[in-house]
Amino acid sequence: MNARTGYVPPPYPYDRLDDLKPLADRHEGGLVDLSIGTPVDPPTPAVLAALGGSDSERGYPPSIGTPELRDAAARWCTERLGVQVDSATEVAATIGSKEFVAGLPHWLRLRTPGRDTVLFPEISYPSYAMGAELAGCRAVPVPADEHWSIQLDAISESDAERALVLWVNTPGNPAGGLDDLTAAAEWGRARGVPVFSDECYAEFTWDGVPRTILTPTSAATAGGGEAHSDEVDTGQGGGMRAEVDGVVAVHSLSKRSNLAGVRVGFYAGDPALVHYLREVRKHAGFMVPGPAQAAAVAALADQDHVAEQRERYRNRLERLARIVGRFGPEPALPRGGFYLWAAAPDGDAWAFTRTLLTEVGILVSPGEFYGSAAADRVRVAAVLADDALDMVESRLS
């Protein structure tokens, strides 16, 4: 912050890669950009039909989400996560998830001005730290263990006393770690700290089933909040009533249904937090366009296209791991998500980024984008069509 000029935003991380892109020009077919997790596969025809045929363009859409969207989100939580949430009081829409992540500290600080700290995973997507910075809060990273899972016992009590929110992210971006979400929820409840769980990669959980912070402790395994179909009381409507006190789960259609350009997602959990955020966001004018909400309803009703996408990403991760392994240690497949978290030879992520551009024409992200503790890693997004992957493999010879 400069007293004379005010806030000056830092460079956007991915813009720092622009000068490196010409290194791929020597390859026929040019650059293959794997630095940003932008989906490349098409949405389903039913989703596109809903997007173009909703007849919802003229009127203002409800900021909290249409009843149809909130009902669809609640049904998906029951069918996929095994938990029941009340669509009338515990669910609301977001314009994707990034704006929600980056804006949340500002809204929460208005609600609790006596607290000023945002806790988030030490190695994580930049928006958690940036949201704290934009709200004038302290951004305090929480270390991860050797499996890239958050270490709650590393949080000092002094930071906990000042905390507005604890963010967890499962599966984690960029490292693919899985957190003990039940423990995170209990940690927050014991200290009066809201816990927000970014679960936008939940459908791409490779180690076990999708995890959610909404899963009741009685329905979860000791492995961290996994809801297994044979462990959940189906009850009326299926699933078990979610334990939502002090917690909110955040989901997005961007990755699950290849709808990043449509910008639609939802959050669900503690009715007091959901109500507060609904009302603030109404005043601020946050509204998912009506056609986007209709498309989300269609997407959430279909699980087949997600199963197909899972197979695509799993295959691409395996093939990319072999490619990256030609130039450094072959990266392990993630426990979740569609990123490889690869160690750089000699610990120099920027040099490794240049090597991969020069040798096979793929652009990856240096680990420092995701925290200073990750300067010896690169993130490789499995966001390339099969013909592009074939082309990259052909360059190895």
Side-chain angles (χ1 to χ4, degrees):
M1 181 75 71
N2 185 300
R4 299 181 66 182
T5 63
Y7 179 68
V8 178
Y12 191 63
Y14 301 97
D15 291 346
R16 297 170 59 194
L17 297 172
D18 289 346
D19 291 342
L20 300 183
K21 292 179 180 179
L23 292 174
D25 290 348
R26 63 186 289 264
H27 295 284
E28 183 177 353
L31 177 74
V32 178
D33 192 346
L34 308 183
S35 65
I36 298 177
T38 302
V40 298
D41 301 297
T44 65
V47 170
L48 295 177
L51 186 64
S54 68
D55 194 30
S56 60
E57 297 82 7
R58 288 179 292 277
Y60 289 108
S63 173
I64 67 173
T66 62
E68 294 79 10
L69 173 56
R70 288 182 281 117
D71 286 347
R75 282 194 301 273
W76 179 83
C77 286
T78 298
E79 294 167 2
R80 192 69 178 115
L81 303 178
V83 292
Q84 294 178 359
V85 291
D86 186 342
S87 64
T89 61
E90 297 174 351
V91 181
T94 65
I95 308 171
S97 60
K98 184 172 182 177
E99 60 87 0
F100 187 84
V101 171
L104 182 70
H106 179 63
W107 310 131
L108 291 182
R109 196 171 191 189
L110 293 174
R111 182 174 184 255
T112 314
R115 295 194 173 206
D116 67 350
T117 296
V118 175
L119 304 171
F120 62 96
E122 180 179 46
I123 297 173
S124 60
Y125 195 66
S127 294
Y128 306 114
M130 181 53 64
E133 183 175 323
L134 294 174
C137 291
R138 297 169 68 235
V140 177
V142 182
D145 64 18
E146 68 274 17
H147 303 296
W148 310 109
S149 301
I150 197 166
Q151 291 184 289
L152 298 171
D153 57 3
I155 303 172
S156 73
E157 286 304 318
S158 60
D159 285 334
E161 289 171 0
R162 298 174 64 175
L164 276 172
V165 60
L166 166 66
W167 274 108
V168 289
N169 176 209
T170 292
N173 174 11
L178 302 177
D179 294 326
D180 184 338
L181 298 181
T182 298
E186 292 172 350
W187 183 95
R189 291 180 186 125
R191 294 162 177 80
V193 177
V195 180
F196 280 68
S197 179
D198 183 347
E199 301 171 6
C200 71
Y201 294 94
E203 291 281 18
F204 307 112
T205 302
W206 311 117
D207 184 359
V209 298
R211 303 179 178 208
T212 178
I213 202 158
L214 304 178
T215 305
T217 302
S218 59
T221 71
E226 299 179 0
H228 293 274
S229 59
D230 60 352
E231 294 173 337
V232 177
D233 176 13
T234 55
Q236 184 177 357
M240 179 177 285
R241 178 72 177 97
E243 188 174 324
V244 298
D245 180 37
V247 299
V248 174
V250 183
H251 287 271
S252 170
L253 278 292
S254 295
K255 316 300 186 184
R256 176 191 183 273
S257 300
N258 299 320
L259 289 176
V262 174
R263 311 309 302 143
V264 59
F266 67 91
Y267 57 101
D270 187 310
L273 286 166
V274 170
H275 175 75
Y276 169 76
L277 292 169
R278 279 179 170 188
E279 296 306 304
V280 170
R281 290 167 62 82
K282 284 180 188 176
H283 287 290
F286 285 91
M287 293 181 285
V288 178
Q293 297 198 39
V297 172
L300 287 166
D302 174 30
Q303 195 63 27
D304 290 343
H305 75 281
V306 181
E308 294 172 3
Q309 192 63 47
R310 282 174 55 86
E311 289 301 312
R312 292 189 191 107
Y313 280 138
R314 186 71 179 187
N315 179 61
R316 292 168 186 169
L317 285 167
E318 292 172 351
R319 293 172 68 183
L320 280 169
R322 291 192 290 269
I323 293 170
V324 173
R326 292 283 293 271
F327 305 97
E330 182 169 325
L333 297 183
R335 299 178 71 195
F338 52 71
Y339 304 107
L340 295 176
W341 189 229
D346 302 321
D348 189 338
W350 283 95
F352 196 29
T353 299
R354 293 184 182 92
T355 295
L356 292 172
L357 272 169
T358 303
E359 298 297 330
V360 284
I362 62 174
L363 179 64
V364 302
S365 297
E368 70 178 62
F369 290 2
Y370 311 100
S372 59
D376 60 347
R377 297 263 174 172
V378 300
R379 192 192 75 170
V380 187
V383 289
L384 71 173
D386 291 339
D387 58 349
L389 186 50
D390 292 339
M391 179 179 68
V392 172
E393 286 179 329
S394 73
R395 293 170 178 174
L396 292 173
S397 60

